[in-house]
Amino acid sequence: MRAAYDEIADWYETEFLPRTADDPLGLGRVLAGLLGRGEGACLEIGCGTGVHAAALRDLGWSPVGVDLSAGMLRHARPRLPIVRGDAARLPFRDGSLPAAVALMVHTDMPAYPAVLREAVRVLRPGGVLVHVGVHPCFCGGFADRTDPEAVVVGPGYLDGHWTKKSWTDQGIRDKVGASHWPLAELLGAFLEAGLVLDGFAEGNGPTPMVLGVRARRP
């Protein structure tokens, strides 16, 4: 189970994360607003290096992470309990969790609709799933964000695709590639998985890079 992120795990931890420490995208605000305070286990699907564990604890949750990349999990181990596994085949019992989050990972998962179905399986009735990911309307291989005040959106938004095309060589997309779902297709995957859409939020402007979705298992 070798994962693409194995090759960039050390770069991600030592170079990429320090550049995002002040949360310029507003991810923390979106997560807190959609997930809210709670207690009990909160599964982070695609936890990577576990950098979001502290934010989940601050909200009262007990984070546990799952990720495919052994390299990323090596950095996550001191931050939260972890298990190596496929997000489309989560190693948790049916109806066992009150909450789950997927933070900035859906473009890394070509089978994301299957991941959403798995989230439904492991959530308790009434359990919450919070998705926070790159904004499908304003961030992708079709978008040039060189000038954050004037994002240029070219052809390609309506085409679901995987690409390494990126407006910057300082990010992740150009290194491991990313999948894209237009907004309607992305939200439709939540409904097809059996989730009830419950809330939305967007990241910092002027043109947000982050879209958040809160959904619940009926």
Side-chain angles (χ1 to χ4, degrees):
M1 290 197 305
R2 184 167 177 79
Y5 273 75
D6 287 343
E7 298 181 1
I8 67 166
D10 292 340
W11 168 86
Y12 186 93
E13 173 73 13
T14 61
E15 297 185 41
F16 180 76
L17 285 182
R19 298 203 303 269
T20 63
D22 59 351
D23 194 20
L25 305 184
L27 190 155
R29 172 181 57 79
V30 172
L31 172 63
L34 292 177
L35 180 61
R37 298 197 60 81
E39 59 183 16
C42 180
L43 173 63
E44 184 176 357
I45 301 169
C47 67
T49 63
V51 69
H52 304 299
L56 294 173
R57 289 193 186 96
D58 287 346
L59 292 170
W61 298 96
S62 299
V64 58
V66 61
D67 202 284
L68 187 63
S69 170
M72 298 290 272
L73 290 177
R74 186 177 69 251
H75 294 288
R77 190 167 289 111
R79 294 173 175 148
L80 78 169
I82 55 171
V83 60
R84 188 181 182 204
D86 186 343
R89 295 191 296 271
L90 292 172
F92 295 89
R93 296 191 308 273
D94 295 0
S96 60
L97 297 167
V101 296
L103 306 176
M104 303 303 284
V105 296
H106 84 280
T107 55
D108 297 319
M109 299 176 178
Y112 196 62
V115 174
L116 294 176
R117 293 192 294 272
E118 273 292 274
V120 172
R121 181 184 66 78
V122 303
L123 284 173
R124 298 172 185 169
V128 63
L129 169 68
V130 171
H131 158 107
V132 183
V134 295
H135 203 305
C137 298
F138 309 122
C139 192
F142 55 85
D144 185 341
R145 300 187 63 97
T146 303
D147 181 357
E149 301 291 330
V151 176
V152 178
V153 175
Y157 164 74
L158 289 175
D159 304 325
H161 60 274
W162 179 92
T163 183
K164 280 191 170 184
K165 182 180 178 181
S166 176
W167 60 277
T168 177
D169 62 1
Q170 300 300 307
I172 297 171
R173 186 185 309 270
D174 67 306
K175 297 172 179 62
V176 299
S179 297
H180 168 69
W181 286 269
L183 181 61
E185 188 175 340
L186 177 63
L187 297 182
F190 283 80
L191 299 178
E192 291 171 6
L195 289 158
V196 177
L197 297 176
D198 189 48
F200 305 93
E202 292 178 298
N204 295 342
T207 307
M209 290 185 69
V210 168
L211 173 70
V213 178
R214 181 177 63 230
R216 295 188 184 275
R217 176 182 172 181

